[in-house]
């Protein structure tokens, strides 16, 4: 946790270090989840638990990106979260293009 007695630049740097560490944790979950989800491309069946986990990770990245003012990362996570929401609700199938977009967005 950041020390409030540190100079402001040190505080901001510590906050960003925490941000990047948390993002990396979620990205590791996302990478593993996408590997598991790949087998459901173009299938009428999807692993809803995996979709839920991916959704939560992107949702968290969206929120913490907004907190640190990284709007491009926030918007990308929002778009990916939106696609996962549609998949979770059964309104679309996981397409090859959609899966590739999730992979590319994770990069």
């Amino acid at each position: 946790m950041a020390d409030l007695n540190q100079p402001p630049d040190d505080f901001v740097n510590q906050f960003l270090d925490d941000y990047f560490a948390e993002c990396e944790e979620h990205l590791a979950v996302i990478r593993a989840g996408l590997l598991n989800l790949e087998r459901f491309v173009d299938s009428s069946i999807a692993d809803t638990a995996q979709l839920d986990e991916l959704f939560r990770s992107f949702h968290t990245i969206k929120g913490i990106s907004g907190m640190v003012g990284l709007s491009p990362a926030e918007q990308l996570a929002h778009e990916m979260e939106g696609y996962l929401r549609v998949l979770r609700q059964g309104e679309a199938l996981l397409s090859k293009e959609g899966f590739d977009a999730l992979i590319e967005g994770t990069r």
Side-chain angles (χ1 to χ4, degrees):
M1 190 67 175
D3 180 358
L4 296 177
N5 295 319
Q6 292 178 346
D9 288 343
D10 288 344
F11 177 78
V12 170
N13 288 337
Q14 179 63 44
F15 192 70
L16 285 175
D17 287 346
D18 292 345
Y19 165 78
F20 288 119
E22 186 165 355
C23 279
E24 189 52 45
E25 289 174 20
H26 286 285
L27 288 170
V29 168
I30 289 167
R31 287 181 198 108
L34 289 174
L35 287 174
N36 291 328
L37 196 65
E38 185 174 18
R39 63 188 162 157
F40 296 105
V41 169
D42 293 328
S43 172
S44 61
I45 303 168
D47 184 341
T48 55
Q50 193 65 68
L51 291 172
D52 289 345
E53 184 174 45
L54 288 166
F55 181 89
R56 282 189 302 273
S57 288
F58 281 117
H59 182 76
T60 300
I61 289 173
K62 178 183 78 173
I64 62 176
S65 294
M67 288 174 52
V68 298
L70 293 175
S71 296
E74 178 184 13
Q75 184 60 38
L76 178 60
H78 176 73
E79 293 296 324
M80 296 174 80
E81 177 189 47
Y83 180 58
L84 290 165
R85 180 180 297 111
V86 169
L87 295 175
R88 289 169 65 205
Q89 294 171 345
E91 297 172 8
L93 298 178
L94 177 63
S95 67
K96 172 82 169 106
E97 295 80 13
F99 182 78
D100 290 346
L102 290 171
I103 292 288
E104 187 59 32
T106 302
R107 288 186 185 137

